[in-house]
Amino acid sequence: MQIMVNDETKLIASRFLSEALIELGYGETKVATAVDGVFVPRSARGAKALEEGARLEILAPMQGG
Amino acid sequence: MRAYGIDLSSPLMLGTALYDSPAILADSVRRGRPGAVTVSLRRESAGLQAGQAFWELVRGFDVPVLPNTAGCHTVREAVTTAQMAREVFETDWIKLEVIGQGDLLQPDVFALVEAARILNEEGFKVFPYMTEDLVVAERLLRAGCEVLMPWGAPIGSGRGLNNLFGLRALRAHFPEVPMVIDAGIGRPSHAVTAFELGFDAILINTAVAKAGDPAAMAEAFRLACDVGQLAKTADPMDERDMAVPSTPTLGKASFAS
């Protein structure tokens, strides 16, 4: 299935967000996720099904002012 | 400063961006001893791990973190970013920025009030980045904010306190509300002035990170906070338009020939 990850096109086999994060190489890293502009908490990733063309945002800590 | 029932160890809040290296940031935190540091969220490529390394560095500071919603232009972006920041940084504090004008990075105060209302309802402790407008302040307080963060001048401009009259009016109108001057402070003297006007804290980033010696400047700001706070509690005199002699005139010698 084709999805957008941080605005880049990715082909993934996973159907659920938690599996997709592992497949995409984010494994245990400290990130927050949103699908189609809606925050998906860590606890809900296992049950969050991804649809074809879904827009996934994966954000990590960064310097800020 | 006391915010949302928590006492900050220092009224200096320090941004973590724009330093030439993590070591310079760490030195600046060590010498500035801020009561909080601001952080943000950005996209990260798998395998890069830059965000993880940064998070480990910040955790080592042992200072409360205040995540921001920098770069957000809509209510929805700001709310979603805040929700993501709460999970990643494990805090319900959020420095709420909703930018409405690109050249001055001026807050969109209409979206700000709406985003603040939503986030306060969701249990966030919102630190709203605002203009010094009294009506906006009133709306933000009504939306549940317990702290206000008026700008001194546009972000990164270093111009200090652009509208002294407006800031003084804001301070006078809401004497009990903790207020942080956020953005625009360029020099320690600006910080001293902020406290002398009655403000409770300052938030700075560029002024330290882009100084020739950031760590020394962080210490200068720490000392300025001490000076300003002491002056604030000492209740500075009012300005006068005319001279008033300080040396007593009574008993003055007469040398008239």
Side-chain angles (χ1 to χ4, degrees):
Chain A
M1 152 170 78
Q2 186 170 300
I3 65 169
M4 299 295 286
V5 179
N6 291 347
D7 269 350
E8 286 181 22
T9 305
K10 299 279 183 187
L11 278 172
I12 59 168
S14 310
R15 289 189 52 243
F16 291 91
L17 177 56
S18 53
E19 299 162 12
L21 286 173
I22 294 166
E23 184 181 346
L24 290 163
Y26 288 92
E28 294 301 306
T29 54
K30 198 167 185 66
V31 292
T33 51
V35 175
D36 296 328
V38 177
F39 171 55
V40 181
R42 186 182 303 269
S43 58
R45 288 177 192 162
K48 178 64 184 176
L50 296 174
E51 307 288 336
E52 178 78 26
R55 289 180 300 107
L56 172 57
E57 287 285 339
I58 303 175
L59 303 186
M62 183 63 67
Q63 296 83 348
Chain B
M1 188 187 82
R2 190 171 174 81
Y4 292 102
I6 294 173
D7 285 311
L8 295 183
S9 63
S10 160
L12 174 61
M13 302 165 102
L14 186 63
T16 56
L18 300 173
Y19 296 84
D20 285 346
S21 73
I24 293 173
L25 165 61
D27 274 350
S28 301
V29 169
R30 187 174 52 78
R31 288 179 67 178
R33 295 184 214 155
V37 291
T38 55
V39 293
S40 197
L41 282 179
R42 284 292 180 273
R43 288 170 170 174
E44 181 161 74
S45 304
L48 265 184
Q49 305 281 323
Q52 315 303 312
F54 172 69
W55 178 231
E56 289 306 316
L57 177 74
V58 168
R59 268 163 42 130
F61 297 155
D62 199 23
V63 171
V65 295
L66 175 61
N68 69 27
T69 62
C72 292
H73 288 78
T74 66
V75 173
R76 185 175 175 184
E77 280 177 349
V79 167
T80 303
T81 303
Q83 291 166 334
M84 296 172 85
R86 176 158 66 177
E87 183 176 84
V88 164
F89 294 111
E90 298 166 24
T91 177
D92 49 14
W93 287 12
I94 191 76
K95 175 185 161 181
L96 182 60
E97 285 183 44
V98 190
I99 300 301
Q101 210 285 330
D103 288 338
L104 297 182
L105 295 178
Q106 182 160 341
D108 176 341
V109 294
F110 307 97
L112 178 70
V113 170
E114 175 62 7
R117 185 188 63 75
I118 294 168
L119 292 172
N120 280 315
E121 280 177 5
E122 292 187 14
F124 283 87
K125 295 178 170 60
V126 178
F127 294 67
Y129 166 60
M130 58 180 285
T131 54
E132 69 279 16
D133 189 300
L134 268 67
V135 180
V136 172
E138 172 64 39
R139 298 291 161 86
L140 285 167
L141 294 171
R142 216 186 294 166
C145 295
E146 295 181 17
V147 174
L148 297 176
M149 299 218 298
W151 67 350
I155 295 171
S157 70
R159 297 175 61 89
L161 307 179
N162 249 355
N163 181 1
L164 281 177
F165 172 79
L167 289 170
R168 207 176 271 132
L170 180 68
R171 179 69 285 180
H173 206 74
F174 304 99
E176 305 301 326
V177 177
M179 287 194 206
V180 184
I181 297 288
D182 176 15
I185 288 181
R187 291 158 193 258
S189 54
H190 300 153
V192 173
T193 303
F195 289 103
E196 287 171 351
L197 288 175
F199 289 92
D200 302 285
I202 58 163
L203 200 164
I204 54 171
N205 191 156
T206 313
V208 168
K210 289 300 162 197
D213 184 342
M217 189 58 84
E219 183 172 346
F221 269 104
R222 173 169 64 78
L223 297 171
C225 288
D226 287 347
V227 169
Q229 279 190 303
L230 187 58
K232 175 187 171 187
T233 57
D235 189 14
M237 65 169 281
D238 294 327
E239 285 184 10
R240 290 185 286 220
D241 289 333
M242 303 298 285
V244 178
S246 48
T247 303
T249 50
L250 192 67
K252 183 179 161 296
S254 172
F255 300 114
S257 55

